[in-house]
Amino acid sequence: MKLNLGMLYKASRALTISSVKGLATQASTASCSGWACGSSGRISSSIPCIAGSFAIAAGIVLMGPDAHAEAAPFSLDPLPFAMDALEPHMSANTLSFHYGKHHKTYVDNLNNQISSNPSLQGKSLEEVINATWNNGKPLPAFNNAAQVWNHTFFWNCLTANGGGAPSGALAEAIESSFGGFEKFKEVFKADGLGQFGSGWVWLCSDSQGKLKVIRTANAITPIVTGWSPLIVADVWEHAYYLDFQNRRADFLSTFMEKLVDWPAAEKRFAEATNPAASKL
């Protein structure tokens, strides 16, 4: 069960902490073995007894009579595949650190920043990113917000038995923009290798279907510049070091040959060039 806590944020403002603590006190008197709540507002499916375990009122999650923190607006989205689904090309060990620790930390840090910044409360993730981009002079919450978005997008660019080549309109656009699929792969890999330090390499489209490979440093994401991302490879070292050590070139080749989800990219391209297309 996943709570959409962001949608309930405004309602939570109408309740006083004292009244909600009263609910928790009543709940704590019921016979139950304990409390269970996952991180970032996700309720655990292993709760042995709901009555008395927790009280939830208008977006406030309580885990005991003395807990009264407002619920976090963003949660760590589940991976679109099992932890071991991408092996041997991306190991479950890599994902346990990359997704389970790095990505989760960005979510937790963002929620902490938003809790102390009323101007960002109640906004969607994309709205937070655009507001904190601040016309190229990023505000403190930008890095964590953009990294949450970038990582979620990255996971959705990967699939078991991926790779191969795109088809249809996207294949035609690659031919037109790069002079062929093999040439595109050369440009994508070169830009990924050329990104000094941490960052990302993206295939993006404008609204007219013109494609461009873009590399960005650290947390910067193309959505702040008006480009629509189609695929991305994460070239932060934590994305590949456990599997490839310092061999970024091998990681990028494996991404392109074994992991990238071209059918998903084709749908994103249709959306970028046709606003009426269904969103992913």
Side-chain angles (χ1 to χ4, degrees), residues 24-59:
T25 302
Q26 294 175 33
S28 67
T29 61
S31 59
C32 183
S33 58
W35 319 90
C37 182
S39 63
S40 305
R42 191 182 305 282
I43 300 300
S44 169
S45 62
S46 62
I47 298 173
C49 176
I50 293 177
S53 292
F54 52 85
I56 300 173

Side-chain angles (χ1 to χ4, degrees), residues 11-223:
S12 70
R13 306 282 293 179
L15 291 177
T16 64
I17 293 300
S18 60
S19 64
V20 178
K21 284 179 69 177
L23 289 174
T25 302
Q26 294 175 33
S28 67
T29 61
S31 59
C32 183
S33 58
W35 319 90
C37 182
S39 63
S40 305
R42 191 182 305 282
I43 300 300
S44 169
S45 62
S46 62
I47 298 173
C49 176
I50 293 177
S53 292
F54 52 85
I56 300 173
I60 296 179
V61 176
L62 299 173
M63 296 176 288
D66 297 324
H68 51 79
E70 288 189 354
F74 297 111
S75 61
L76 181 65
D77 288 345
L79 288 172
F81 41 74
M83 278 282 194
D84 61 353
L86 305 182
E87 291 186 338
H89 313 299
M90 183 177 289
S91 67
N93 191 32
T94 285
L95 285 169
S96 71
F97 283 94
H98 192 180
Y99 169 75
K101 297 187 183 298
H102 289 278
H103 190 178
K104 181 181 183 301
T105 297
Y106 293 129
V107 174
D108 292 343
N109 288 343
L110 175 61
N111 285 332
N112 288 336
Q113 289 173 314
I114 288 177
S115 69
S116 60
N117 190 337
S119 69
L120 298 178
Q121 293 168 5
K123 293 183 181 294
S124 69
L125 182 59
E126 289 79 5
E127 288 170 339
V128 171
I129 290 170
N130 286 311
T132 57
W133 173 238
N134 194 33
N135 296 315
K137 299 177 181 179
L139 301 176
F142 174 79
N143 284 337
N144 285 306
Q147 284 293 75
V148 171
W149 194 96
N150 291 348
H151 279 83
T152 300
F153 186 83
F154 177 53
W155 308 135
N156 284 280
C157 290
L158 308 176
T159 186
N161 303 312
S167 60
L170 179 54
E172 295 172 4
I174 287 176
E175 179 71 31
S176 173
S177 297
F178 299 100
F181 183 60
E182 293 302 318
K183 180 62 176 177
F184 154 72
K185 289 196 295 183
E186 292 174 9
V187 172
F188 189 89
K189 185 174 179 178
D191 269 35
L193 289 173
Q195 173 54 44
F196 182 78
S198 301
W200 307 80
V201 57
W202 313 75
L203 173 64
C204 298
S205 174
D206 66 12
S207 61
Q208 302 305 308
K210 177 68 176 178
L211 303 183
K212 183 178 182 180
V213 172
I214 298 173
R215 62 187 183 192
T216 61
N218 300 318
I220 297 175
T221 176
I223 67 173

Side-chain angles (χ1 to χ4, degrees), residues 188-193 201 233-235 247-257:
F188 189 89
K189 185 174 179 178
D191 269 35
L193 289 173
V201 57
D234 186 347
V235 293
R247 304 190 314 274
R248 184 186 286 186
D250 290 348
F251 167 68
L252 288 167
S253 294
T254 299
F255 169 83
M256 190 61 63
E257 302 298 331

